[in-house]
Amino acid sequence: MADDTRRDFLKGAAVGTAAALTPAAVTPAPAQTPAPAAAHAPAAAEPQAWLTLNHTEADFITAAVDTLIPADELSPSGSDCGVAAFIDRQLAGAFGNGARLYRQGPFLKAKPELGYQLALTPREFFRAGITAANDFCRKTHGKDFDRLSAQDREAACKTMESGKADFPGFSSSMFFNALLQITMEGFFADPIYGGNRNMASWKMVGYPGLPATYKEDIKKYFGKKYDKPPRSIADFS
């Protein structure tokens, strides 16, 4: 995305964005030894083992998070930060199965402020949204979303965000907002949940990490730059 768009994304993440779905009950990644931090370089590439996303869905999510979080001087791309893996894990777990949703119906069209009203689980919702998004992109640009140029992917995202893309069953803006929300969660969450690899986003904004472990430094660093590296839940496990 353009610099102004990226700044808007980070600003929105800082103040919070209203979730289109119930907030994700995050699913920790398998325990592993933390890798040495790399300021702006992705970790060594390894084959991604997807838990629930099929090949087409994984390609879409990877392209989408890289469109929302492109690699630049601020951080690696969204997928290099593990955001796509984070989303896959959330959709494979309790959140994706709708464990916290009331699903008895009736499922009526309601005002946005009343929250998620569909009969679909979040996993089903994202599956339907990805299918609709790719259908829209093929009709508009002749290719699936992940095969578009960066410029066309950004244009497609803006159309979906505005609600002008024709999606069956729900609005494209509802899908885009849910995608944006879970992307932000993956980018800024503790790395133990699969995203924010090497604590890239925490280093970018200067967040020290696990709450309450730095309370003694508040007076010491008041008005000064906090120069200690951030720490994850895994660092205390």
Side-chain angles (χ1 to χ4, degrees):
M1 282 187 162
D3 290 343
D4 288 342
T5 306
R6 184 175 173 83
R7 282 194 292 270
D8 289 343
F9 169 80
L10 295 174
K11 180 180 179 182
V15 301
T17 299
L21 301 174
T22 302
V26 288
T27 304
Q32 57 184 356
T33 303
H40 299 297
E46 295 181 0
Q48 176 65 52
W50 302 106
L51 301 180
T52 187
L53 297 176
N54 63 35
H55 179 73
T56 299
E57 293 166 345
D59 287 346
F60 176 92
I61 290 294
T62 299
V65 300
D66 285 349
T67 302
L68 294 170
I69 310 173
D72 59 14
E73 71 280 0
L74 296 175
S75 76
S77 69
S79 61
D80 283 337
C81 287
V83 177
F86 171 90
I87 293 174
D88 176 59
R89 289 168 184 167
Q90 297 313 302
L91 295 179
F95 165 71
N97 292 324
R100 294 187 177 184
L101 294 178
Y102 178 78
R103 304 188 62 239
Q104 296 300 312
F107 301 101
L108 305 176
K109 186 174 182 179
K111 296 179 179 179
E113 56 264 30
L114 296 180
Y116 187 71
Q117 299 289 320
L118 299 179
L120 304 174
T121 65
R123 175 66 182 97
E124 293 166 342
F125 172 74
F126 271 87
R127 177 182 290 121
I130 292 170
T131 297
N134 276 332
D135 287 345
F136 162 73
C137 289
R138 284 194 296 271
K139 292 176 183 177
T140 307
H141 301 283
K143 301 177 183 178
D144 282 355
F145 181 83
D146 64 283
R147 296 180 179 275
L148 300 179
S149 66
Q151 183 177 3
D152 285 342
R153 286 201 304 268
E154 185 173 342
C157 283
K158 290 180 178 179
T159 303
M160 288 187 284
E161 181 181 21
S162 70
K164 295 180 180 179
D166 186 19
F167 277 29
F170 48 83
S171 70
S172 63
S173 61
M174 183 179 184
F175 173 68
F176 178 84
N177 288 334
L179 177 62
L180 176 62
Q181 175 69 26
I182 201 170
T183 296
M184 290 193 294
E185 290 172 358
F187 189 51
F188 289 104
D190 191 288
I192 198 172
Y193 301 114
N196 191 15
R197 188 174 293 152
N198 293 324
M199 294 176 275
S201 69
W202 290 358
K203 294 172 184 176
M204 179 182 68
V205 299
Y207 179 62
L210 193 63
T213 63
Y214 51 87
K215 60 182 180 179
E216 300 301 327
D217 289 332
I218 293 177
K219 291 183 179 180
K220 178 181 177 181
Y221 285 92
F222 185 78
K224 302 176 183 178
K225 180 180 179 180
Y226 188 80
D227 56 4
K228 292 184 178 181
R231 305 182 76 185
S232 163
I233 293 173
D235 295 327
F236 297 87
S237 300

